[in-house]
Structures are given as C-alpha cells and as structure tokens.
C-alpha cells in the first residue's frame, strides 16, 4: 500500500516524525460518528426530529474555520452539546464524513441541504462538489427550484445554468411541480424574464398553479381574492395582451382571477380603436433566437433522386458545448410545391430523447424547411447523438452535397459522422437533414 506525506508530492518518503496523509485519513475515518474519544455532541435538526451526533473538536477545527472559531476562538463554545436546528441530520453527517475522510457521498434528496451545511461552515470543496452535482442533475422539472436555491446560496454559475434550461425549455419548466415550490421573489423574476421561450398562455397558467399552491402553503381557502393576494404584483407581470384574442378568450378571460373590469378592458384593447389603459405589459417577450447549423456547402437535384418511400435518413453529431436541439431543417420537393408527412427523432445510445410526427409544405425551392421537436432537448458536450427523418411525399427532392465533418456555428463546434440508422443514403458527404436547429 502506498502512503503519502501530508503536504508533499505522492510517493515522497516521510522523514521521522512526519505524519503520513493516507494513514491520517484512514485513522480519522474510523472516528467518524463514533463516541470513542468524542469531546463534543451536536443535536442536529428541528425539535422532534433531531439527531445526536458525536464528533471531535480537533478534526472539525482543522477542516473548517467556523468550527475552529467555535471551539478555539476568543468566544469558544464551552457547552458539551451544541444545537443546530437549521441543518438536516443527513446533510450534517455528509459534511462530517467529508471532514473526517475526504469522502463525498451526495444524493439528489440531500444535496441542497448539504450545500447549505457546506456554506454555513465554510467548507468550499464540499460546496463545489454539491454545485457540480446539481449542475449534472439539472433538468427542466427541477430548474426553477434550483434557481431559487442558487440565488439563496449565491452560486452565479449554477444560476446561469438554471436560466439556460428555463429559457430553452420554458414550457416544461413552468408546467413542472417544482415551479409551484419556488418563493415569491423567484416567481416574479421568472415571470419578468424576457428570454422565456414559450407562449404567454403557458406563463399565465403556471402563475395560477403557483397561486393555488401558495394558498395551500399558507392554509388559505383557494379563492380568487386569496390567489390575487398571494400573487401580488406577479399577476401584473404576465403579458396577457400579447396573447392572441383566441388564446385570451379561451383561457385567461374565463379565469376567475381577473376582475370583470380587467376582462372587459382587455377585450376592448384587442378590438377597439380607442384602446383603454392596461396594467399588464403590452410587449411580447423576445424569447430565444434559434440558431442553425448547416452542414452542406451546396444542394442539387436530379431526375432520379432524392427518393423516400418510408426509408430513414439519419446522421450522427456531437458538440463541444452543451446546447438544446429544437428541430431539423429539411429539404423539400424539387418539382414544385408539395406537402410531406415526416417523423423526426433524436436518439442517444438507441434511446429516443425526442420525436415528432408532423407535416410541412415545401415551395419547390432549394430552401430548407423547419420541422420542430415537441420540446427542445438538452444535448451534452462530447457525446454523439443520432437525428433521423422519415419522409413521405413527393419522391423527388433536393439533397445536400459537399458535406462537412466539422462546422463552426458561433461558439459551438459540430462534428458529424455517418449513422447506421440511415437506410436512404444520407451521410456526412450528402443527403437529407441539412440543418440542425438549436439554442445555445
């Protein structure tokens, strides 16, 4: 077994009297959560659910400046039992295990509480590990909750990652259960967000769902008055006038949260020449601008191809930065206007991540025609994904030529490889699927 001297490179021999780091960690690990020689006890957690945890002042003081001040500072704690009601017992044990052994064991249901404990006791390595764990597990269903926590813990990188997911996958994020769990200030910040990539009706419905959840949290009857009260100014951050008249009439106008006067004035705003003044924002959100990666340098058509008849066109790609794939640009008919039925898919390791069965109409030009997935899908860096399209319609269409194995799109680099799923001739050098549509 190899031992390492504390403060020296691996493999360096220890002089007499020097403590071997591996041995020290191993010995400390044996003392974790042990009564043996424990000189302090923590009562961790709220009253009624608290847990008594034994510890050793020296070990804790070496690993945390907060514990050092607590045990050896000018105002050192002299009590043998210290109450910590604001930290979860499981998180506190994770904190201590790291301080005794350098081992970090994180789980989804305790990581936020562990981050709180690491911040409270200033253990930066554990806090960083928690943030990395959260970034790895970040998805639309938990992005809003993690946004509120990242703001609380002042973690700007995690906050930025949360916004990337919320903006690109706004509909899924706003419809998630996690959205209903956020605090009032985070609600207002999200509803104000200019880059939310969704319809305003989705924002309005999400705000109503949050209001009902907040009434339940406060023990209030779910009434229009109470929902308006808990929402406060957040209701007036929803850009109701940017909905279509049909969307408003079938949705918000029939909601009990708007007053009769508000509904009347909004209908007048849609239809009257002399528009009333409204308290709601009037400008549409900018959303996100989709970017397009075009992988061919030219296109062409011949009288005997490109043909379909249910065969699959497919290509593999990888990116050097995390992005969100929103859809594909496809070629259409080379002999006049034509309608196509199309099934598109995005897969990783054979698992379908997104798909859509839809139609598009081409105008006979060599332009590409956008076909969208139901929701944008997060794509990780340095991992190959497979996109495919199965078309049914006019058999003769344009196709791409002079394909590139690597394409630079803004700050994102795409790499392309042939796919074994392709049964219609599409590959890197030529064929269908000329464009990937994405948000970065």
């Amino acid at each position: 077994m190899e031992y390492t001297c504390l403060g020296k490179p691996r493999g360096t021999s220890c002089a007499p009297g020097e403590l071997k780091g591996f041995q020290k960690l191993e010995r400390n690990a044996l003392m974790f959560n042990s009564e043996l020689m424990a000189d302090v006890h923590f009562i961790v957690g709220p009253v009624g659910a608290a847990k008594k945890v034994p510890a050793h002042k020296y070990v804790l003081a070496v690993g945390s400046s907060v514990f050092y001040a607590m045990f050896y500072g000018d105002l050192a704690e002299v009590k043998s039992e210290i109450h910590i009601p604001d930290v979860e017992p499981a998180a506190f044990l994770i904190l201590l295990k790291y301080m005794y052994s350098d081992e970090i064991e994180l789980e989804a249901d305790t990581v936020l509480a562990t981050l709180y404990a690491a911040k409270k006791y200033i253990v930066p390595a554990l806090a960083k590990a928690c943030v990395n764990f959260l970034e790895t597990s970040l998805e639309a269903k938990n992005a809003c909750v993690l946004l509120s926590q990242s703001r609380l813990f002042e973690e700007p990188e995690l906050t930025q990652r949360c916004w990337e997911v919320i903006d690109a996958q706004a509909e899924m994020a706003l419809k998630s259960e996690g959205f209903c769990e956020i605090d009032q200030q985070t609600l207002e910040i999200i509803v104000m967000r200019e880059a939310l990539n969704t319809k305003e009706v989705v924002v309005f419905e999400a705000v109503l769902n949050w209001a009902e959840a907040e009434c339940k949290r406060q023990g209030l009857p779910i009434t229009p008055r109470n929902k308006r009260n808990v929402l406060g100014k957040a209701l007036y951050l929803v850009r109701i006038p940017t909905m279509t008249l049909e969307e408003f009439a079938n949705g918000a106008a029939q909601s009990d949260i708007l007053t009769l006067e508000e509904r009347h004035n909004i209908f007048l705003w849609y239809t009257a020449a002399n528009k009333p003044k409204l308290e709601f924002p009037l400008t549409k959100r900018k959303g996100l601008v989709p970017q397009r990666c075009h992988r061919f340098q030219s296109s062409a058509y011949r009288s005997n191809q490109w043909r379909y008849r249910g065969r699959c066109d497919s290509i593999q790609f990888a990116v050097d930065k995390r992005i969100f794939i929103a859809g594909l640009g496809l070629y259409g008919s080379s002999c006049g206007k034509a309608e196509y039925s199309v099934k598109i898919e995005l897969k990783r390791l054979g698992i379908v991540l997104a798909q859509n069965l839809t139609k598009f109409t081409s105008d006979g030009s060599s332009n590409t025609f956008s076909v969208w997935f139901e929701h944008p899908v997060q794509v990780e860096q340095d991992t190959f994904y497979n996109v495919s399209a199965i078309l049914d319609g006019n058999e003769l269409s344009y196709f791409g030529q002079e394909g590139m194995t690597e394409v630079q799109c803004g700050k994102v680099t795409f790499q392309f490889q042939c796919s074994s799923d392709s049964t219609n001739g599409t590959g890197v050098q030529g064929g269908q699927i000329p464009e990937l549509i994405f948000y970065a």
Side-chain angles (χ1 to χ4, degrees), residues 253-440:
Q254 298 184 38
S255 167
D256 57 4
I257 200 168
L258 296 179
T259 66
L260 182 61
E261 182 181 4
E262 286 170 341
R263 282 176 277 178
H264 176 264
N265 286 341
I266 293 172
F267 270 120
L268 286 178
W269 190 88
Y270 281 113
T271 57
N274 185 18
K275 300 183 184 299
K277 184 178 180 180
L278 300 180
E279 295 185 69
F280 300 93
L282 306 179
T283 56
K284 192 177 181 67
R285 297 178 197 274
K286 293 180 180 178
L288 296 177
V289 178
Q291 301 181 50
R292 295 173 182 267
C293 174
H294 197 94
R295 66 188 190 91
F296 296 127
Q297 299 181 70
S298 65
S299 62
Y301 69 91
R302 300 177 191 143
S303 60
N304 63 345
Q305 62 176 336
W306 204 261
R307 296 177 182 271
Y308 299 109
R309 292 184 179 176
R311 291 187 291 267
C312 179
D313 289 289
S314 185
I315 193 73
Q316 288 192 88
F317 74 94
V319 289
D320 65 344
K321 290 181 176 61
R322 185 187 292 112
I323 63 170
F324 296 86
I325 292 292
L328 307 178
L330 301 177
Y331 287 123
S333 170
S334 60
C335 52
K337 184 177 180 180
E339 183 179 74
Y340 288 89
S341 296
V342 58
K343 179 182 180 181
I344 59 172
E345 281 189 343
L346 172 67
K347 296 193 295 186
R348 178 186 178 187
L349 300 176
I351 298 173
V352 176
L353 304 178
Q355 61 182 9
N356 196 14
L357 182 61
T358 185
K359 295 182 178 181
F360 73 92
T361 301
S362 68
D363 58 10
S365 72
S366 60
N367 294 331
T368 59
F369 301 91
S370 300
V371 182
W372 304 88
F373 291 113
E374 293 181 357
H375 301 286
V377 180
Q378 183 169 287
V379 166
E380 300 297 332
Q381 67 185 53
D382 302 327
T383 302
F384 272 95
Y385 292 79
N386 196 87
V387 285
S388 62
I390 300 176
L391 289 93
D392 186 18
N394 193 322
E395 289 190 22
L396 302 180
S397 86
Y398 287 90
F399 60 93
Q401 297 185 132
E402 301 178 279
M404 297 171 282
T405 58
E406 185 172 297
V407 180
Q408 185 75 30
C409 294
K411 296 181 179 180
V412 183
T413 301
F414 286 77
Q415 289 185 330
F416 293 98
Q417 290 183 359
C418 292
S419 168
S420 59
D421 290 350
S422 192
T423 58
N424 199 41
T426 288
V428 173
Q429 297 302 316
Q432 255 287 12
I433 315 182
E435 286 181 338
L436 299 183
I437 307 171
F438 67 101
Y439 302 115

Side-chain angles (χ1 to χ4, degrees), residues 112 115 131 134-153 155-170 173-174 182 186 189-190 193 195-196 288 322 324 378:
L112 284 173
L115 177 58
V131 171
L134 291 169
E135 287 185 353
T136 302
S137 60
L138 177 63
E139 52 187 336
K141 68 181 181 182
N142 63 9
C144 295
V145 171
L146 293 184
L147 175 68
S148 65
Q149 297 297 324
S150 68
R151 294 177 55 251
L152 174 66
F153 295 133
E155 289 289 344
E157 291 185 12
L158 180 58
T159 299
Q160 178 58 34
R161 280 287 296 119
C162 290
W163 278 126
E164 290 173 8
V165 173
I166 294 169
D167 288 341
Q169 299 178 310
L174 295 180
I182 60 178
T186 303
I189 291 172
I190 292 176
R193 185 76 173 176
L196 286 182
L288 296 177
R322 185 187 292 112
F324 296 86
Q378 183 169 287

Side-chain angles (χ1 to χ4, degrees), residues 15-87:
E18 286 187 314
L19 182 62
K20 296 177 179 179
F22 184 89
Q23 291 175 319
K24 180 185 177 185
L25 287 175
E26 190 176 50
R27 291 168 183 166
N28 283 347
L30 293 174
M31 305 298 287
F32 165 67
N33 202 21
S34 171
E35 290 286 354
L36 182 62
M37 294 190 291
D39 54 359
V40 66
H41 289 81
F42 295 94
I43 309 301
V44 187
V47 176
K51 183 180 179 70
K52 189 173 183 178
V53 179
H56 307 81
K57 293 180 180 180
Y58 169 74
V59 176
L60 272 56
V62 167
S64 163
S65 59
V66 175
F67 282 125
Y68 177 84
M70 182 184 297
F71 300 133
Y72 301 107
D74 293 337
L75 300 176
E77 187 69 63
V78 294
K79 292 183 293 185
S80 60
E81 287 190 353
I82 299 173
H83 290 259
I84 309 177
D86 60 328
V87 175

Side-chain angles (χ1 to χ4, degrees), residues 196-232:
L196 286 182
N197 204 44
T198 190
K199 293 183 177 180
E200 205 63 27
V201 290
V202 174
V203 180
F204 181 78
E205 290 168 1
V207 165
L208 291 189
N209 291 337
W210 184 91
E212 289 191 11
E214 183 64 16
C215 285
K216 292 177 182 178
R217 281 191 288 271
Q218 295 187 23
L220 301 172
I222 301 174
T223 64
R225 177 186 293 274
N226 286 338
K227 287 192 288 187
R228 288 179 69 98
N229 286 340
V230 298
L231 280 171

